[in-house]
Amino acid sequence: MSNPLSTPVHDLFAGDLDVVNVGLAMFEQDIAAQGAKVTTLDWTPPGSGKPEILDALDALESPEAAARIEAANALAVERIANSQPLLTGFGRAIDVVPGMTPTTILHAGPPITWDRMAGAMKGAVTGALVFEGLADDLDEAAELAASGAITFSPCHEHDCVGSMAGVTSASMYMHIVHNETYGNTAYTNLSEQMAKILRMGANDASVIDRLIWMRDVLGPMLKEAMEIGGPIDLRLLLSQALHMGDECHNRNIAGTVLLMQALAPSLLQTGFTTEQKKDVLDFIAGSDYFSGPTWLAMAKAAMDAAHGIEDSAVVTTMARNGVEFGIRVSGLVGNQWFTGPAQQVVGPMFAGYRPEDSGLDIGDSAISETYGFGGFAMATAPAIVALVGGTVQEAIACTRQMGEITTAQNPNVTIPILDFQGIPTGIDVRKVLATGILPVINTAIAHKEAGIGMIGAGITHPPVEVFEKAVLALAAALD
Amino acid sequence: MSSTAVVKKNTYFDSVSLMAISTKANGLDDVEQAFVAMGTEMNKGVLANLGLLTPELEAAGNGDLMVVVEAREGADVDTVLAAVEELLTRKAPSAGDATVTHRTIAAAAQDNPAANLAVIAVNGAYAGREARKALENGLHVLLFSDNVSVEEEIALKQLAHDKGLLMMGPDCGTAIINNVGLCFANAVRPGSVGIVAASGTGSQELSVRIHALGAGVSQLIGTGGRDLSEEVGGIMMIDGIRALASDPTTSVIVLVSKPPAPSVEQKVLAEIASAGKPVVVYFVGGSEEAVVAAGGHFATGTQDAALQAVRLGADPNADVEPLDTTRIDEVAALLGPEQRYVRGLFCGGTLCDESMYAMLDLGDDVWSNIQKDPARRLTADSPSTGHTFLDFGDDDFTNGRPHPMIDPSLRLARLVEEAKDPEVALIVMDFVLGFGAHEDPVGVTLPAVEQAQQIAADAGRHLEIVGYVLGTDLDTPALDEQIAALKAAGVTVTRSSTETGQFARALARKVTHA
Amino acid sequence: MVSVRASAVLHSRSGDAALLARLRTLRGRGRVDSVFRGVLNLQLPDGELVSLAARGCENAPRTLIVDIPHWGGSGVRPGEPVEFAPGSLTLPGGHGGIRICLRESGEWNPILPSLDQLTSSELSTAARALRQATYAYGELGGMLGAAPTAAPMETAVCAALDHGRRRLVRAVRSSCGAPYRCDGDAVTGQSSPSGPDPVRRGSEVAPTATDPTPREAAAPGESSSPLDEAVLALLGLGPGLTPAGDDFLVGIAVLSAIGGSRLGPFARALDHILTEHPCRTTLLSTTTLREALAGRVRAPLVDVLRSLTATRGQSDAQAVDTIRSPVRRALAHGHTSGADTLSGLVTGLHLEKELRGSL
């Protein structure tokens, strides 16, 4: 019903007044008392009120720049949503990961040198060096790590992601996830299941023994099973898992069952002994987390396809190394990291541990939130709402709030309780600063010291600096 | 210590919940301390030693949970108990209640396509940006904030103009859209008089006078005080006139403002000529010829503007009673020979202006913080002299304080000061009711009024105080109660802003020429 | 449409062997006593209390671990009847009730280590290490003293608890024939350089000479011994679902049940008081204390006791490392309950050592 004579002023005078109230709450009451509809914003000064950030935001929001950015962002989220990542196989890092060498150690987060690494990462690095046979014991491994003979490099710069410490060495088995739509591939290593594990910084004999078994039995069996069974559509499984109450970052029970369902027939047909097969099945049943890394590689495959689109303000990477939090932005091509200090993770701790025991935020697993699940999909996971305050309502509000800093909803991955609206997708650095809303990240808590492991789970946020730096760089790139 | 307690019979909480309840109870505003424990003999013994054992606690059994609360001095015990009780029974709200509070205008507008207007009152450094966001999202804007640069104002108004949207402000304090008063406005009935105003209290007075004449307001569009300046060029006033010209409900248009810059006046008057509806113009202190030449109706004051508008658009027989001069004669007789001057203490800028211009008819011994003549301009610190009219809503006075309509303290202090001046014959004040204003502007002033009267009486003088209450019978607090309270305190009450000026002028003429 | 009333079947994963033996033959109707998220407490037909703990809880006396994530939303309410039949029990709630099958339940036996192989000085080391770890990781508010910001009521209760501890120590010493003295070990709380502020937190075994003789908590009984009165001064005292004083007594009680313990007179006094004054504290506390006297405590406490025996021959610092992990798990019980019980163990160990020295 469009009246050719209608103007915005006619529409205003002819319709019901519906007010957005910004700044002074006292006006809301008066307006509501007169029977008009009014919504008061939870307003904070944009860009934390910093003039240089406001200037950069203004520059990016000029009509000409905004039009270019909107178009580029639309393309970025289209590529995220249209990506169809398939699990195609498993293989040793040395055989499949680009740039991998026998003396390379990949790690989570932005680049970092040995001397600056967090306790959990150091623990994982020394454990991995022992596992690879490059050192006889942890002390020797620490010396080797410090000697300069080892190449440290971020997972993200090798098409990989690594959960928690993310430490990935040559003979570890990797998921191989192929983006069917755009042709790129992503990798991540296998879940170690327990709490006392390498990725959490633990490195005693039980940890190394498990890694050896994973290298010799679990990895090869999964590899063979995939060769028998063929590719698995991970986006489909992810979206089913979300419908079953996972948010696929801190809750993985449904996703693991689904993945297991897909793998089981081919695992059965592999040439391993029944005893070995039972060990593998027991191992998978040992923790709901088995599919956790799988979703990270899935997200990585999609996010890499959206990286490098000129002018796009969409975040394609959020990753932490336990010391720094780093992001990459689609329009700022290549490996440009914008970093700030890693934050504390707040949440329930295992018995006997206290907040002061926890290491800072660590891991590439925030690729989940970058894609739109994990903390962004809290509304799908009523079972773990304790992480965000304890009520389903808070979980729903959390997902809705993430809608304010994202570009679109992913129609391929939906949330039943929100009438099947898509997960919030494509974090826009401009929106983060304009709203003052930081992305929410669900994550595990590792002990701050090497060798102990996981001690809790909770939520955290990136430091605001990373977005400020990115916005300044985007504004500078406009000229 | 005044303690009180809740005993939960055979009610169980796990220890973590129990701890949470204890922590939350200790965090309640009116709670001095709270303690949660089982009702065992030993625990009751400790409470007895502390003098906290009430009969209720005494009766608690070893399986019962005791919640012992010591309320703060002066706190209402029942309220505290109710709050503790709620902690014990609180249930999480269900998912269905989930509502989202938006952080940005864009998100609010996208979530609610029916939203059509933004009211923005944030620090001036951010105000322009928020207004632009609102316009870009298709919302009309009322920008209450000031301290927005003139360049930004022009850019916003140009953007709004291009999009066909209203950009009311910056520094716009009053509007009535679809009979809903926004910010500082009065409750008036709907009607056929449309108003475009660069002045907040001027437009409030107009709307109130129109209501008092039995007519009503279709729309009241604010422009912000700087709209008719050379730089801004009256963009919003012209768009406002056009909006009302094409609005079928509006039958007559009233403009109220300080006199525009000459080039802008021409543009505005040209717009009047082509409006197709009668336009009444009140440019405070402005001249008649150009308005009449453009086919407009010139008004000499707010009352005249309201009267002409109602006669042209609603009721040809509308009229107001003339000023009653008997009171002026009475007052003149009470005054001593030294008492020659009028002091006006105003919240409303236009009300101050209107009385000041009335006084300027008598001569130029008129001083004010809003005087056009720089030689007779006063600052907030300068003492009164001759006839003085102060606008307490001007930046010079507000400087970091709330508007006097909300915080009257400066004006009250000044009232007492003026009463000490033996040359003062008359103090004139306005009292603004309505949305956004003080909840009882007369009540908060009366103690100072009594003090002023006492000071004069102690010095053997009569001090005449005149008050005008700007408001309608629909406003809160009730207009007639405010008037009755003033009268009871011996204050002479005038019936409009215009009459207030007339009263002051008539009395001043009488005492200076007597 | 026919409404089908199917009962849900849950399995018990493990449970107290003594309880399982009893339930295998028990028939009758009991009731639900209380419902928490992690634990359901039931009364057996004879009124005795047993617990059904959710998956992830630790084994404990009179407790079955049931394969359910938690009891929230199970619909079970206090006061409702529970049907006991050989090999299973049936709770109300759900549609048609929840049947808990015991057939596959593993049997748990709390086996206490012997402390005989520890020398007196090793007992002291173990006690000091336990004390240090308990203060390092435990919650204030009960036996460890009031938090610095505590309100007057909490402070008063903590003072009463501290007072009760001193009185008990004195009574145990005299009734068990310990020499009336205090050595360096016994005042660990005040001499340990890394220990907390003794004024705020009190000490496990305080010098007796400065103690006032308390009268206000005298027991209602007529012929009570000083030891009886000392137990009564702690029983049912303090915050929490199991009052802190009771948890403290549990710590001493379990030590008294270890073979060769010199704390026999304390055990007899506690048993006497529980029989003579059944209403001094909650049913849950009474039950837990009785079990502790029989040497039956929750699994994490058993682990703490085992780790204490492993400190043999270690330095203080090594000993703290040895017991840290089990101590943390034991502390995770309740809010201050874990700390209160461990505090009782510390006091009990000191007393054990002193009494041993007296022979």
Side-chain angles (χ1 to χ4, degrees):
Chain A
M1 261 226 346
S2 76
N3 175 355
L5 293 177
S6 117
T7 66
V9 170
H10 276 127
D11 295 346
L12 175 68
F13 290 170
D16 290 332
L17 191 66
D18 191 331
V19 177
V20 177
N21 183 39
V22 189
L24 275 183
M26 65 178 259
F27 293 148
E28 172 176 323
Q29 279 183 326
D30 287 339
I31 294 168
Q34 297 173 78
K37 203 181 153 216
V38 55
T39 317
T40 295
L41 295 188
D42 181 6
W43 186 85
T44 50
S48 321
K50 294 179 189 164
E52 71 276 17
I53 305 299
L54 275 176
D55 287 348
L57 282 176
D58 282 347
L60 296 176
E61 286 165 2
S62 75
E64 194 267 337
R68 270 163 51 193
I69 295 172
E70 298 304 332
N73 283 358
L75 180 59
V77 293
E78 179 193 309
R79 290 175 73 95
I80 297 168
N82 286 354
S83 282
Q84 193 188 6
L86 303 182
L87 178 63
T88 57
F90 291 86
R92 292 190 311 161
I94 189 74
D95 300 331
V96 297
V97 171
M100 195 69 196
T101 74
T103 54
T104 295
I105 295 280
L106 303 182
H107 62 77
I112 189 165
T113 53
W114 165 256
D115 53 306
R116 295 181 60 234
M117 282 181 190
M121 188 176 281
K122 280 188 167 167
V125 167
T126 50
L129 292 175
V130 172
F131 162 65
E132 292 292 344
L134 295 169
D136 286 338
D137 57 36
L138 295 173
D139 290 342
E140 195 186 313
E143 275 174 40
L144 176 62
S147 72
I150 300 299
T151 308
F152 293 106
S153 188
C155 290
H156 265 293
E157 298 185 4
H158 295 262
D159 301 344
C160 291
V161 279
S163 86
M164 298 308 286
V167 163
T168 303
S169 62
S171 54
M172 288 182 185
Y173 267 79
M174 309 293 284
H175 294 70
I176 303 170
V177 177
H178 183 71
N179 186 334
E180 188 72 359
T181 321
Y182 298 105
N184 60 301
T185 305
Y187 310 89
T188 195
N189 60 13
L190 304 177
S191 165
E192 302 164 73
Q193 299 293 72
M194 320 294 163
K196 195 174 159 197
I197 47 181
L198 191 78
R199 68 191 62 218
M200 295 284 176
N203 53 17
D204 67 13
S206 70
V207 173
I208 307 298
D209 289 349
R210 191 183 307 114
L211 288 175
I212 290 169
W213 176 81
M214 288 167 69
R215 180 192 64 198
D216 295 344
V217 179
L218 175 66
M221 194 187 300
L222 287 170
K223 178 174 189 289
E224 192 183 329
M226 287 305 297
E227 285 159 6
I228 294 166
I232 297 171
D233 183 343
L234 292 180
R235 188 182 62 186
L236 183 67
L237 294 195
L238 177 90
S239 99
Q240 287 173 340
L242 256 56
H243 285 195
M244 293 164 72
D246 281 359
E247 41 68 90
C248 287
H249 190 169
N250 276 17
R251 187 180 199 266
N252 287 291
I253 184 164
T256 293
V257 169
L258 290 168
L259 182 62
M260 185 54 211
Q261 196 178 45
L263 286 171
S266 11
L267 280 173
L268 202 65
Q269 296 172 63
T270 59
F272 289 77
T273 67
T274 303
E275 191 60 33
Q276 285 171 321
K277 287 175 187 168
K278 180 175 182 300
D279 285 349
V280 163
L281 294 183
D282 281 343
F283 181 76
I284 294 173
S287 164
D288 300 338
Y289 190 66
F290 181 72
S291 66
T294 316
W295 315 125
L296 304 185
M298 192 232 77
K300 171 68 173 169
M303 297 315 295
D304 274 359
H307 190 65
I309 298 168
E310 197 182 352
D311 294 328
S312 172
V314 165
V315 175
T316 49
T317 305
M318 295 196 288
R320 316 82 98 198
N321 59 30
V323 176
E324 283 179 327
F325 194 113
I327 64 168
R328 298 192 299 169
V329 175
S330 178
L332 299 163
V333 298
N335 289 323
Q336 293 188 56
W337 292 92
F338 302 96
T339 61
Q343 306 291 298
Q344 197 85 31
V345 183
V346 178
M349 315 282 290
F350 291 170
Y353 292 100
R354 297 181 160 194
E356 53 267 33
D357 296 329
S358 49
L360 298 178
D361 187 20
I362 189 168
D364 288 337
S365 61
I367 197 75
S368 316
E369 284 76 13
T370 322
Y371 182 92
F373 57 96
F376 280 44
M378 271 315 300
T380 67
I384 58 166
V385 295
L387 289 179
V388 289
T391 69
V392 172
Q393 187 182 1
E394 283 165 306
I396 291 172
C398 185
T399 293
R400 288 232 169 105
Q401 199 176 49
M402 292 304 107
E404 297 223 356
I405 55 170
T406 44
T407 307
Q409 295 172 358
N410 183 340
N412 298 318
V413 186
T414 58
I415 303 174
I417 202 172
L418 296 179
D419 290 331
F420 296 91
Q421 94 180 22
I423 55 174
T425 300
I427 300 164
D428 183 333
V429 290
R430 300 172 307 164
K431 291 185 176 180
V432 170
L433 292 173
T435 58
I437 299 172
L438 291 168
V440 61
I441 296 169
N442 288 359
T443 195
I445 306 173
H447 198 283
K448 65 182 173 188
E449 279 151 28
I452 297 176
M454 178 172 175
I455 59 170
I459 65 163
T460 188
H461 303 279
V464 71
E465 295 96 298
V466 299
F467 299 100
E468 292 175 353
K469 289 176 183 172
V471 153
L472 291 172
L474 276 172
L478 274 182
D479 310 325
Chain B
M1 278 201 266
S2 95
S3 88
T4 184
V6 188
V7 174
K8 298 307 261 187
K9 285 276 173 202
N10 292 309
T11 306
Y12 294 94
F13 296 88
D14 60 53
S15 50
V16 177
S17 310
L18 213 56
M19 185 60 205
I21 289 165
S22 167
T23 306
K24 283 179 184 163
N26 270 302
L28 289 174
D29 272 349
D30 281 336
V31 169
E32 188 70 43
Q33 58 167 325
F35 187 71
V36 184
M38 304 304 287
T40 61
E41 288 299 318
M42 285 304 299
N43 283 339
K44 289 192 279 186
V46 172
L47 292 173
N49 285 345
L50 290 172
L52 294 174
L53 193 64
T54 62
E56 218 182 341
L57 291 171
E58 179 80 65
N62 54 33
D64 297 339
L65 181 70
M66 306 188 294
V67 184
V68 188
V69 180
E70 189 201 337
R72 275 195 215 292
E73 202 68 37
D76 178 41
V77 173
D78 289 339
T79 315
V80 172
L81 274 184
V84 172
E85 195 63 55
E86 203 199 318
L87 289 179
L88 293 167
T89 54
R90 184 176 292 167
K91 286 274 190 294
S94 74
D97 309 337
T99 54
V100 67
T101 308
H102 293 291
R103 298 283 190 103
T104 64
I105 291 172
Q110 277 155 26
D111 193 48
N112 174 20
N116 49 22
L117 184 139
V119 173
I120 299 170
V122 300
N123 183 301
Y126 314 113
R129 180 188 158 79
E130 297 302 324
R132 192 172 68 243
K133 292 279 160 203
L135 294 171
E136 283 168 356
N137 282 281
L139 302 180
H140 302 276
V141 173
L142 190 164
L143 183 52
F144 183 81
S145 315
D146 54 7
N147 292 318
V148 174
S149 74
V150 73
E151 295 78 19
E152 198 152 25
E153 177 172 351
I154 295 166
L156 290 171
K157 284 184 168 164
Q158 198 58 55
L159 176 62
H161 176 81
D162 293 345
K163 289 179 165 284
L165 295 165
L166 300 177
M167 179 63 228
M168 299 184 276
D171 200 15
C172 173
T174 301
I176 299 175
I177 303 295
N178 301 353
N179 204 40
V180 175
L182 301 173
C183 303
F184 297 122
N186 299 89
V188 299
R189 77 176 66 80
S192 62
V193 182
I195 301 170
V196 189
S199 132
T201 46
S203 62
Q204 281 187 270
E205 170 68 0
L206 253 180
S207 69
V208 164
R209 287 302 106 227
I210 289 162
H211 179 87
L213 288 166
V217 172
S218 57
Q219 307 288 349
L220 192 171
I221 298 170
T223 68
R226 221 163 36 192
D227 190 66
L228 297 180
S229 66
E230 192 76 46
E231 298 94 319
V232 182
I235 302 173
M236 184 65 244
M237 175 134 329
I238 290 167
D239 282 352
I241 295 169
R242 288 180 186 169
L244 295 177
S246 60
D247 171 35
T249 314
T250 302
S251 60
V252 55
I253 301 170
V254 189
L255 309 182
V256 54
S257 169
K258 288 187 196 306
S263 66
V264 181
E265 185 172 26
Q266 279 185 352
K267 283 198 273 183
V268 171
L269 293 178
E271 208 57 41
I272 291 174
S274 57
K277 291 178 185 177
V279 179
V280 177
V281 179
Y282 174 46
F283 288 154
V284 186
S287 64
E288 184 166 1
E289 302 90 70
V291 173
V292 174
H297 301 261
F298 179 79
T300 58
T302 44
Q303 178 65 278
D304 186 35
L307 193 56
Q308 289 196 50
V310 172
R311 282 175 179 165
L312 286 164
D315 175 9
N317 302 316
D319 208 350
V320 289
E321 289 176 33
L323 176 67
D324 177 9
T325 55
T326 56
R327 176 66 192 161
I328 291 166
D329 295 338
E330 284 169 28
V331 173
L334 295 170
L335 295 171
E338 285 191 341
Q339 292 181 278
R340 296 189 305 264
Y341 293 123
V342 177
R343 301 285 153 83
L345 310 176
F346 290 91
C347 296
T350 304
L351 308 187
C352 183
D353 238 1
E354 190 167 17
S355 284
M356 181 176 76
Y357 274 102
M359 198 60 65
L360 279 166
D361 290 350
L362 295 185
D364 53 11
D365 189 14
V366 178
W367 303 72
S368 172
N369 59 328
I370 55 171
Q371 247 282 18
K372 274 202 291 190
D373 177 0
R376 291 189 168 73
R377 199 170 295 154
L378 298 177
T379 67
D381 304 327
S382 30
S384 298
T385 175
H387 300 300
T388 294
F389 290 83
L390 298 175
D391 172 12
F392 282 83
D394 190 51
D395 289 346
D396 191 29
F397 280 95
T398 54
N399 192 24
R401 289 167 158 277
H403 194 275
M405 277 192 223
I406 298 165
D407 174 7
S409 55
L410 274 184
R411 193 166 79 134
L412 299 183
R414 189 74 175 222
L415 169 59
V416 173
E417 276 310 298
E418 296 298 344
K420 295 173 183 164
D421 184 343
E423 293 187 335
V424 170
L426 168 67
I427 294 175
V428 181
M429 302 182 82
D430 60 352
F431 299 89
V432 181
L433 309 184
F435 302 116
H438 193 281
E439 59 191 5
D440 182 12
V442 166
V444 77
T445 312
L446 284 181
V449 166
E450 280 166 27
Q451 202 184 338
Q453 288 164 335
Q454 191 61 49
I455 289 167
D458 291 347
R461 298 193 297 271
H462 170 77
L463 176 63
E464 180 68 2
I465 300 177
V466 164
Y468 167 56
V469 185
L470 188 166
T472 72
D473 53 340
L474 304 176
D475 277 325
T476 311
L479 177 64
D480 52 357
E481 284 170 19
Q482 295 278 300
I483 289 175
L486 281 176
K487 285 183 171 167
V491 174
T492 299
V493 176
T494 48
R495 294 168 295 185
S496 68
S497 168
T498 301
E499 188 179 87
T500 310
Q502 288 169 348
F503 187 103
R505 181 175 58 197
L507 185 68
R509 183 182 282 132
K510 188 127 193 143
V511 294
T512 46
H513 297 277
Chain C
M1 284 284 278
V2 180
S3 150
V4 181
R5 287 172 61 84
S7 69
V9 177
L10 295 173
H11 291 271
S12 165
R13 288 189 158 185
S14 67
D16 176 1
L19 175 62
L20 280 168
R22 201 167 157 204
L23 291 180
R24 282 198 193 99
T25 57
L26 183 69
R27 198 181 282 281
R29 172 176 289 191
R31 63 186 282 275
V32 178
D33 179 85
S34 49
V35 182
F36 306 111
R37 197 175 154 79
V39 175
L40 273 187
N41 290 319
L42 309 180
Q43 283 178 16
L44 299 181
D46 63 3
E48 278 191 45
L49 211 56
V50 299
S51 300
L52 301 184
R55 191 162 65 208
C57 292
E58 304 274 5
N59 276 306
R62 313 179 75 88
T63 299
L64 297 180
I65 312 293
V66 177
D67 198 4
I68 187 173
H70 57 79
W71 294 102
S74 65
V76 181
R77 288 178 208 300
E80 291 180 329
V82 183
E83 299 297 340
F84 293 88
S88 77
L89 54 100
T90 305
L91 300 167
H95 298 282
I98 301 170
R99 197 162 71 88
I100 293 165
C101 176
L102 310 177
R103 194 163 25 90
E104 293 167 16
S105 187
E107 299 197 347
W108 173 76
N109 287 292
I111 299 168
L112 299 182
S114 163
L115 296 178
D116 279 354
Q117 68 272 48
L118 296 184
T119 64
S120 280
S121 83
E122 282 167 348
L123 266 185
S124 290
T125 304
R128 279 197 304 271
L130 181 58
R131 179 176 197 285
Q132 198 180 327
T134 304
Y135 275 113
Y137 305 114
E139 287 284 344
L140 298 182
M143 295 306 299
L144 303 194
T149 55
M153 283 187 229
E154 181 180 323
T155 308
V157 169
C158 288
L161 285 168
D162 189 45
H163 187 79
R165 178 200 353 245
R166 290 157 188 260
R167 185 171 173 179
L168 182 75
V169 165
R170 199 170 45 237
V172 171
R173 277 182 181 141
S174 51
S175 66
C176 304
Y180 198 73
R181 64 175 172 82
C182 64
D183 59 18
D185 281 341
V187 289
T188 321
Q190 289 162 344
S191 60
S192 166
S194 60
D197 174 9
V199 176
R200 182 158 60 81
R201 288 174 158 177
S203 60
E204 265 58 43
V205 180
T208 51
T210 57
D211 273 6
T213 308
R215 298 265 175 235
E216 67 276 13
E222 55 305 325
S223 66
S224 10
S225 72
L227 194 48
D228 285 356
E229 288 186 18
V231 168
L232 278 169
L234 280 167
L235 196 63
L237 175 64
L241 203 59
T242 48
D246 299 352
D247 289 321
F248 177 79
L249 292 171
V250 164
I252 307 181
V254 68
L255 279 177
S256 76
I258 293 181
S261 169
R262 315 296 202 273
L263 293 166
F266 165 83
R268 285 189 290 280
L270 179 56
D271 179 64
H272 174 240
I273 294 295
L274 290 175
T275 309
E276 293 295 309
H277 304 274
C279 292
R280 288 287 285 196
T281 188
T282 65
L283 180 59
L284 182 61
S285 271
T286 307
T287 310
T288 309
L289 282 164
R290 284 219 170 278
E291 291 290 335
L293 283 173
R296 295 158 44 78
V297 288
R298 350 182 236 109
L301 287 174
V302 177
D303 292 345
V304 168
L305 288 169
R306 290 219 181 97
S307 72
L308 288 171
T309 63
T311 63
R312 203 176 156 193
Q314 292 184 333
S315 70
D316 279 26
Q318 287 168 329
V320 170
D321 267 349
T322 302
I323 64 169
R324 178 179 283 125
S325 177
V327 164
R328 283 184 156 196
R329 270 195 300 129
L331 286 172
H333 185 72
H335 181 240
T336 67
S337 267
D340 298 333
T341 311
L342 293 186
S343 174
L345 273 185
V346 172
T347 296
L349 286 170
H350 279 302
L351 287 169
E352 187 76 48
K353 185 247 162 190
E354 282 185 39
L355 299 172
R356 217 188 257 189
S358 72
L359 286 177

